[in-house]
Amino acid sequence: DAMVIQNPRYQVTQFGKPVTLSCSQTLNHNVMYWYQQKSSQAPKLLFHYYDKDFNNEADTPDNFQSRRPNTSFCFLDIRSPGLGDAAMYLCATSRDQLDGQFFGPGTRLTVL
Amino acid sequence: AQSVTQLDSQVPVFEEAPVELRCNYSSSVSVYLFWYVQYPNQGLQLLLKYLSGSTLVESINGFEAEFNKSQTSFHLRKPSVHISDTAEYFCAVSDQRTGKLIFGQGTTLQVKP
Protein backbone atom coordinates (compact mmCIF):
# COMPACT_ATOMS: atom_id res chain seq x y z
CA ASP A 1 0.00 0.00 0.00
CA ALA A 2 1.16 3.49 -0.81
CA MET A 3 1.96 5.32 2.37
CA VAL A 4 3.91 7.85 4.40
CA ILE A 5 6.47 6.35 6.79
CA GLN A 6 8.15 8.09 9.69
CA ASN A 7 11.13 6.80 11.60
CA PRO A 8 11.59 6.46 14.42
CA ARG A 9 8.11 6.52 16.00
CA TYR A 10 9.62 7.58 19.33
CA GLN A 11 12.84 9.53 19.75
CA VAL A 12 14.52 10.55 22.97
CA THR A 13 17.33 13.08 22.89
CA GLN A 14 19.22 15.20 25.34
CA PHE A 15 18.98 18.95 25.67
CA GLY A 16 21.18 20.48 22.98
CA LYS A 17 22.01 17.20 21.21
CA PRO A 18 21.19 17.33 17.48
CA VAL A 19 18.52 14.99 16.25
CA THR A 20 17.22 14.00 12.82
CA LEU A 21 13.74 12.72 12.06
CA SER A 22 13.03 10.84 8.86
CA CYS A 23 10.05 10.69 6.51
CA SER A 24 9.63 8.62 3.38
CA GLN A 25 6.73 8.21 1.00
CA THR A 26 5.72 5.74 -1.67
CA LEU A 27 2.98 7.98 -3.07
CA ASN A 28 5.34 9.83 -5.44
CA HIS A 29 3.83 13.11 -4.30
CA ASN A 30 5.45 16.39 -5.23
CA VAL A 31 4.87 18.18 -1.94
CA MET A 32 6.15 17.19 1.50
CA TYR A 33 5.36 18.99 4.74
CA TRP A 34 6.66 18.98 8.31
CA TYR A 35 4.37 19.89 11.18
CA GLN A 36 4.95 20.26 14.89
CA GLN A 37 2.08 19.24 17.16
CA LYS A 38 2.24 19.90 20.87
CA SER A 39 -0.06 18.23 23.34
CA SER A 40 -3.75 19.10 22.84
CA GLN A 41 -2.92 21.57 20.07
CA ALA A 42 -3.43 21.73 16.34
CA PRO A 43 -0.54 20.85 14.03
CA LYS A 44 1.65 23.82 13.19
CA LEU A 45 3.34 23.94 9.79
CA LEU A 46 7.12 24.33 10.01
CA PHE A 47 8.02 24.18 6.31
CA HIS A 48 7.27 22.38 3.09
CA TYR A 49 8.94 21.36 -0.15
CA TYR A 50 7.30 21.67 -3.54
CA ASP A 51 9.61 19.33 -5.45
CA LYS A 52 13.01 20.79 -4.54
CA ASP A 53 11.72 24.24 -3.68
CA PHE A 54 11.96 24.85 0.06
CA ASN A 55 9.35 27.04 1.76
CA ASN A 56 9.94 28.08 5.34
CA GLU A 57 7.19 29.46 7.55
CA ALA A 58 8.02 32.90 8.88
CA ASP A 59 7.82 31.85 12.53
CA THR A 60 9.76 28.59 12.26
CA PRO A 61 12.82 28.86 14.52
CA ASP A 62 16.27 28.73 12.91
CA ASN A 63 16.93 25.68 15.08
CA PHE A 64 14.80 23.67 12.65
CA GLN A 65 16.20 22.71 9.27
CA SER A 66 15.07 20.33 6.55
CA ARG A 67 16.53 18.36 3.68
CA ARG A 68 14.88 16.63 0.76
CA PRO A 69 17.53 14.64 -1.12
CA ASN A 70 15.00 13.06 -3.49
CA THR A 71 11.24 12.76 -4.10
CA SER A 72 10.79 9.96 -1.60
CA PHE A 73 12.66 11.22 1.44
CA CYS A 74 12.54 14.29 3.64
CA PHE A 75 14.42 14.93 6.89
CA LEU A 76 13.83 17.26 9.80
CA ASP A 77 16.99 18.34 11.64
CA ILE A 78 16.77 19.97 15.03
CA ARG A 79 20.21 21.43 15.66
CA SER A 80 19.98 22.10 19.40
CA PRO A 81 16.77 20.74 20.87
CA GLY A 82 15.32 22.57 23.82
CA LEU A 83 12.74 21.35 26.28
CA GLY A 84 10.12 23.34 24.38
CA ASP A 85 10.76 21.31 21.24
CA ALA A 86 9.29 18.18 22.79
CA ALA A 87 6.30 17.39 20.58
CA MET A 88 4.86 15.08 17.96
CA TYR A 89 6.38 15.78 14.55
CA LEU A 90 4.17 14.94 11.62
CA CYS A 91 5.20 14.50 8.01
CA ALA A 92 2.61 14.88 5.27
CA THR A 93 2.55 14.68 1.50
CA SER A 94 0.27 15.86 -1.25
CA ARG A 95 0.18 15.49 -5.01
CA ASP A 96 0.22 19.23 -5.43
CA GLN A 97 -0.51 22.26 -3.33
CA LEU A 98 -4.25 22.05 -4.00
CA ASP A 99 -4.70 18.41 -3.01
CA GLY A 100 -5.55 16.96 0.40
CA GLN A 101 -2.58 15.97 2.54
CA PHE A 102 -1.68 12.44 3.61
CA PHE A 103 -0.03 12.19 7.02
CA GLY A 104 2.47 9.77 8.44
CA PRO A 105 2.04 8.30 11.95
CA GLY A 106 4.33 10.88 13.50
CA THR A 107 7.49 10.82 15.60
CA ARG A 108 7.12 11.70 19.25
CA LEU A 109 10.20 13.57 20.40
CA THR A 110 11.17 13.69 24.07
CA VAL A 111 13.93 16.07 25.20
CA LEU A 112 15.61 15.27 28.50
CA ALA B 1 -5.37 35.34 6.02
CA GLN B 2 -7.51 32.38 6.96
CA SER B 3 -8.61 31.12 10.33
CA VAL B 4 -10.63 28.18 11.59
CA THR B 5 -12.72 28.02 14.75
CA GLN B 6 -13.94 24.77 16.19
CA LEU B 7 -16.57 25.84 18.62
CA ASP B 8 -16.40 22.87 21.00
CA SER B 9 -13.17 21.57 22.51
CA GLN B 10 -14.87 18.43 23.82
CA VAL B 11 -18.07 16.68 22.80
CA PRO B 12 -19.22 13.80 25.03
CA VAL B 13 -21.95 11.63 23.52
CA PHE B 14 -23.46 8.22 24.16
CA GLU B 15 -23.01 5.38 21.71
CA GLU B 16 -25.59 5.30 18.89
CA ALA B 17 -26.54 8.93 19.48
CA PRO B 18 -26.17 11.55 16.72
CA VAL B 19 -23.34 14.06 16.89
CA GLU B 20 -22.39 17.35 15.28
CA LEU B 21 -18.91 18.87 15.47
CA ARG B 22 -18.97 22.53 14.55
CA CYS B 23 -16.48 24.35 12.38
CA ASN B 24 -16.49 27.94 11.16
CA TYR B 25 -13.86 29.53 9.01
CA SER B 26 -12.81 32.98 7.95
CA SER B 27 -11.13 33.75 4.65
CA SER B 28 -10.92 36.56 2.15
CA VAL B 29 -10.19 34.12 -0.68
CA SER B 30 -11.73 30.89 -1.90
CA VAL B 31 -10.75 27.87 0.14
CA TYR B 32 -10.99 24.12 0.20
CA LEU B 33 -12.29 22.52 3.40
CA PHE B 34 -11.23 19.35 5.16
CA TRP B 35 -11.97 17.25 8.20
CA TYR B 36 -9.17 15.10 9.63
CA VAL B 37 -9.38 12.52 12.44
CA GLN B 38 -6.52 11.70 14.80
CA TYR B 39 -6.48 8.63 17.03
CA PRO B 40 -4.14 8.61 20.07
CA ASN B 41 -0.44 8.60 19.16
CA GLN B 42 -1.18 8.48 15.45
CA GLY B 43 -1.02 10.85 12.53
CA LEU B 44 -3.99 12.60 10.98
CA GLN B 45 -6.26 10.74 8.59
CA LEU B 46 -8.29 12.56 5.96
CA LEU B 47 -11.97 12.01 6.76
CA LEU B 48 -13.60 14.06 4.00
CA LYS B 49 -13.07 17.16 1.91
CA TYR B 50 -14.98 19.81 0.01
CA LEU B 51 -13.33 21.15 -3.12
CA SER B 52 -16.31 22.13 -5.30
CA GLY B 53 -19.67 20.85 -6.51
CA SER B 54 -22.21 19.35 -4.13
CA THR B 55 -22.07 21.07 -0.76
CA LEU B 56 -22.75 17.80 1.09
CA VAL B 57 -19.78 15.46 1.26
CA GLU B 58 -19.69 12.01 2.83
CA SER B 59 -17.05 9.67 4.20
CA ILE B 60 -16.98 5.89 3.96
CA ASN B 61 -17.62 5.45 7.69
CA GLY B 62 -20.87 7.37 7.96
CA PHE B 63 -19.69 10.93 8.60
CA GLU B 64 -20.91 13.79 6.44
CA ALA B 65 -20.21 17.50 6.31
CA GLU B 66 -22.03 20.34 4.63
CA PHE B 67 -20.36 23.41 3.22
CA ASN B 68 -22.41 26.53 3.93
CA LYS B 69 -20.85 29.52 2.20
CA SER B 70 -23.22 32.12 3.64
CA GLN B 71 -22.54 30.97 7.19
CA THR B 72 -18.87 30.13 6.47
CA SER B 73 -19.36 26.78 8.17
CA PHE B 74 -18.39 23.17 7.52
CA HIS B 75 -19.99 21.19 10.34
CA LEU B 76 -19.34 17.46 10.66
CA ARG B 77 -22.23 15.13 11.48
CA LYS B 78 -22.87 11.47 12.10
CA PRO B 79 -26.36 10.08 12.77
CA SER B 80 -25.18 7.27 15.06
CA VAL B 81 -21.71 7.13 16.64
CA HIS B 82 -19.70 4.11 17.75
CA ILE B 83 -17.17 3.72 20.55
CA SER B 84 -14.49 3.48 17.84
CA ASP B 85 -15.27 7.04 16.73
CA THR B 86 -13.64 8.35 19.90
CA ALA B 87 -10.80 10.54 18.62
CA GLU B 88 -9.65 14.09 17.99
CA TYR B 89 -11.23 15.78 14.98
CA PHE B 90 -9.61 18.70 13.18
CA CYS B 91 -11.29 21.00 10.71
CA ALA B 92 -8.94 22.69 8.23
CA VAL B 93 -9.01 25.12 5.35
CA SER B 94 -6.64 25.20 2.45
CA ASP B 95 -5.83 28.36 0.55
CA GLN B 96 -6.65 27.57 -3.07
CA ARG B 97 -3.59 29.47 -4.19
CA THR B 98 -0.93 28.02 -1.87
CA GLY B 99 -2.52 24.79 -0.66
CA LYS B 100 -1.32 25.38 2.90
CA LEU B 101 -3.59 23.93 5.59
CA ILE B 102 -4.79 26.03 8.49
CA PHE B 103 -6.17 23.86 11.28
CA GLY B 104 -8.73 24.54 13.95
CA GLN B 105 -7.85 23.73 17.54
CA GLY B 106 -9.54 20.35 17.39
CA THR B 107 -12.58 18.76 19.01
CA THR B 108 -12.30 15.69 21.19
CA LEU B 109 -15.20 13.34 20.54
CA GLN B 110 -15.77 11.08 23.53
CA VAL B 111 -18.24 8.28 22.84
CA LYS B 112 -19.53 6.63 25.99
CA PRO B 113 -21.12 3.18 26.20
Side-chain angles (χ1 to χ4, degrees), chain A residues 5-95:
Chain A
I5 302 163
Q6 290 189 246
N7 286 307
R9 292 293 313 278
Y10 300 90
Q11 175 75 57
V12 180
T13 191
Q14 292 181 333
F15 183 94
K17 185 176 181 181
V19 66
T20 295
L21 309 183
S22 168
C23 177
S24 64
Q25 54 129 340
T26 60
L27 296 160
N28 202 32
H29 282 170
N30 292 325
V31 195
M32 295 187 77
Y33 306 81
W34 278 105
Y35 291 86
Q36 179 192 65
Q37 186 182 25
K38 296 190 175 180
S39 182
S40 301
Q41 295 185 21
K44 178 180 177 297
L45 183 64
L46 296 173
F47 24 61
H48 74 279
Y49 278 92
Y50 189 95
D51 287 332
K52 295 183 178 180
D53 293 333
F54 177 71
N55 298 272
N56 198 33
E57 293 302 297
D59 57 354
T60 297
D62 292 339
N63 199 26
F64 291 86
Q65 304 287 321
S66 185
R67 297 169 282 134
R68 189 178 186 186
N70 53 54
T71 300
S72 301
F73 285 87
C74 195
F75 300 98
L76 170 62
D77 301 308
I78 308 176
R79 293 191 296 188
S80 182
L83 298 179
D85 296 328
M88 174 77 89
Y89 289 87
L90 297 167
C91 175
T93 73
S94 66
R95 187 177 53 183

Side-chain angles (χ1 to χ4, degrees), chain B residues 3-4 6-9 11-12 21 31 34 38 43 49 61-62 70-71 84 86-87 98 107 113:
Chain B
S3 66
V4 179
Q6 291 184 241
L7 297 160
D8 306 294
S9 60
V11 174
L21 307 184
V31 294
F34 302 85
Q38 186 176 33
K49 61 183 178 182
N61 56 354
S70 63
Q71 297 186 3
S84 58
T86 295
T98 68
T107 297

Side-chain angles (χ1 to χ4, degrees), chain A residues 9-10 33 35 37 40-45 48 57 88 90 97-106 108, chain B residues 32 34 36 38 41-46 49 51 88 90 94-101 103-106:
Chain A
R9 292 293 313 278
Y10 300 90
Y33 306 81
Y35 291 86
Q37 186 182 25
S40 301
Q41 295 185 21
K44 178 180 177 297
L45 183 64
H48 74 279
E57 293 302 297
M88 174 77 89
L90 297 167
Q97 288 184 321
L98 304 182
D99 205 2
Q101 294 180 19
F102 292 84
F103 283 79
R108 183 166 295 283
Chain B
Y32 298 135
F34 302 85
Y36 284 87
Q38 186 176 33
N41 290 315
Q42 294 188 25
L44 279 69
Q45 298 175 29
L46 180 63
K49 61 183 178 182
L51 304 181
E88 189 81 10
F90 290 96
S94 171
D95 184 324
Q96 286 189 9
R97 183 180 62 84
T98 68
K100 287 166 50 174
L101 283 177
F103 287 93
Q105 287 303 302

Side-chain angles (χ1 to χ4, degrees), chain B residues 24-77:
Chain B
N24 286 90
Y25 69 94
S26 172
S27 177
S28 58
V29 299
S30 295
V31 294
Y32 298 135
L33 295 154
F34 302 85
W35 274 99
Y36 284 87
V37 58
Q38 186 176 33
Y39 298 100
N41 290 315
Q42 294 188 25
L44 279 69
Q45 298 175 29
L46 180 63
L47 193 58
L48 43 76
K49 61 183 178 182
Y50 172 77
L51 304 181
S52 64
S54 172
T55 57
L56 184 66
V57 290
E58 298 177 350
S59 73
I60 58 173
N61 56 354
F63 283 95
E64 64 179 30
E66 186 162 18
F67 169 57
N68 188 318
K69 188 174 182 179
S70 63
Q71 297 186 3
T72 61
S73 68
F74 191 55
H75 302 331
L76 182 70
R77 302 184 183 96

